């Protein structure tokens, strides 16, 4: 799913993809559409090259028809391409030469459900001014960091940090519901009240 730019959210595009060379052209066209929509068509050639190289690595070293997820995100001075596959064991010993020739940095992150190989290219765009931190959100992120033993806000926007934070939040909510039931309260009633308060806060910013 690809999202257009707006004043609040980061620009991002995630494409479920079966790693076969015959689909690389279609992948390139999808990424090109997003780049034009985001106003950075000058990045078309290096982005398509990087995405194709990362997927080709999966085909060559993990296997053809491997289910992958290609993510492209743009946040001011850098555009990031990520390819996630389900094999956490096979890491590239060194970056593909074609990628190293055009990117500013690249790396591999291992996680429970596989690994993510990523690279970033400079866009030439200025960094966006970040909004002031909401104290309430900062407190929640600190709680999730302690509860899930993950850095909830580090590497903001990366799929790895989002997944880890969402998992920690889900576990926390589930444990709170168990705690309510154990103390004679109705979890469904608590959820309804929480939803009402959540919607009231959203309405303040609508």
């Amino acid at each position: 799913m690809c999202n257009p730019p707006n004043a609040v959210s980061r620009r991002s595009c995630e494409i479920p993809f079966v790693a076969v060379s015959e689909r690389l052209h279609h992948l390139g066209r999808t990424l090109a559409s997003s780049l034009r929509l985001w106003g950075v068509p000058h990045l078309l050639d290096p982005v398509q090259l990087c995405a194709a190289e990362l997927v080709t690595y999966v085909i060559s070293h993990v296997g053809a028809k491997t289910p992958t997820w290609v993510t492209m995100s743009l946040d001011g001075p850098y555009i990031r391409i990520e390819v996630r596959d389900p094999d956490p064991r096979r890491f590239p010993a060194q970056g593909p030469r074609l990628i190293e020739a055009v990117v500013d940095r690249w790396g591999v992150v291992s996680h429970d459900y596989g690994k993510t190989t990523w690279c970033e290219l400079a866009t030439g765009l200025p960094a966006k001014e970040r909004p002031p931190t909401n104290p309430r959100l900062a407190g929640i992120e600190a709680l999730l960091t302690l509860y899930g033993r993950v850095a909830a806000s580090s590497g903001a926007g990366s799929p790895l940090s989002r997944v880890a934070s969402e998992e920690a939040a889900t576990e926390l909510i589930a444990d709170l519901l168990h705690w309510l039931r154990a103390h004679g309260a109705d979890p469904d009633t608590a959820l309804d009240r929480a939803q009402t308060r959540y919607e009231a806060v959203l309405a303040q910013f609508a």
Side-chain angles (χ1 to χ4, degrees):
M1 174 180 291
C2 299
N3 302 317
N6 57 58
V8 178
S9 67
R10 167 195 183 111
R11 296 163 238 205
S12 64
C13 179
E14 183 175 81
I15 306 165
F17 189 77
V18 177
V20 291
S21 57
E22 293 81 5
R23 298 285 294 170
L24 288 175
H25 179 66
H26 175 74
L27 173 65
R29 286 193 302 172
T30 302
L31 296 177
S33 297
S34 293
L35 292 172
R36 295 188 184 99
L37 179 65
W38 297 348
V40 286
H42 62 284
L43 297 172
L44 176 58
D45 289 342
V47 164
Q48 287 183 327
L49 170 65
C50 291
E53 285 295 304
L54 293 179
V55 172
T56 299
Y57 175 85
V58 174
I59 296 171
S60 301
H61 297 277
V62 181
K65 299 184 179 180
T66 297
T68 61
W69 293 262
V70 179
T71 302
M72 179 175 67
S73 56
L74 174 64
D75 191 8
Y78 289 98
I79 191 161
R80 183 180 179 101
I81 302 100
E82 300 176 340
V83 174
R84 176 160 55 94
D85 70 72
D87 188 343
R89 299 164 298 173
R90 301 184 184 182
F91 282 69
Q94 59 184 12
R97 291 184 178 179
L98 286 176
I99 288 183
E100 288 189 330
V102 297
V103 305
D104 287 79
R105 51 199 179 199
W106 75 279
V108 184
V109 179
S110 180
H111 34 72
D112 292 341
Y113 47 83
K115 68 177 179 294
T116 298
T117 308
W118 60 271
C119 62
E120 291 183 341
L121 301 89
T123 64
L125 301 175
K128 287 188 175 180
E129 185 175 333
R130 297 189 180 277
T133 302
N134 183 321
R136 184 170 187 172
L137 293 182
I140 293 170
E141 288 181 349
L143 176 62
L144 290 178
T145 300
L146 291 172
Y147 195 83
R149 296 182 181 178
V150 295
S153 60
S154 64
S158 74
L160 180 62
S161 65
R162 286 200 303 270
V163 169
S165 299
E166 288 171 8
E167 182 63 24
T170 301
E171 289 294 327
L172 176 58
I173 293 169
D175 285 350
L176 286 173
L177 294 177
H178 283 297
W179 183 88
L180 287 167
R181 182 175 293 279
H183 287 78
D186 181 10
D188 290 333
T189 300
L191 282 175
D192 289 341
R193 287 202 301 264
Q195 182 70 25
T196 299
R197 294 178 186 177
Y198 169 71
E199 291 173 353
V201 172
L202 286 184
Q204 295 176 5
F205 299 96

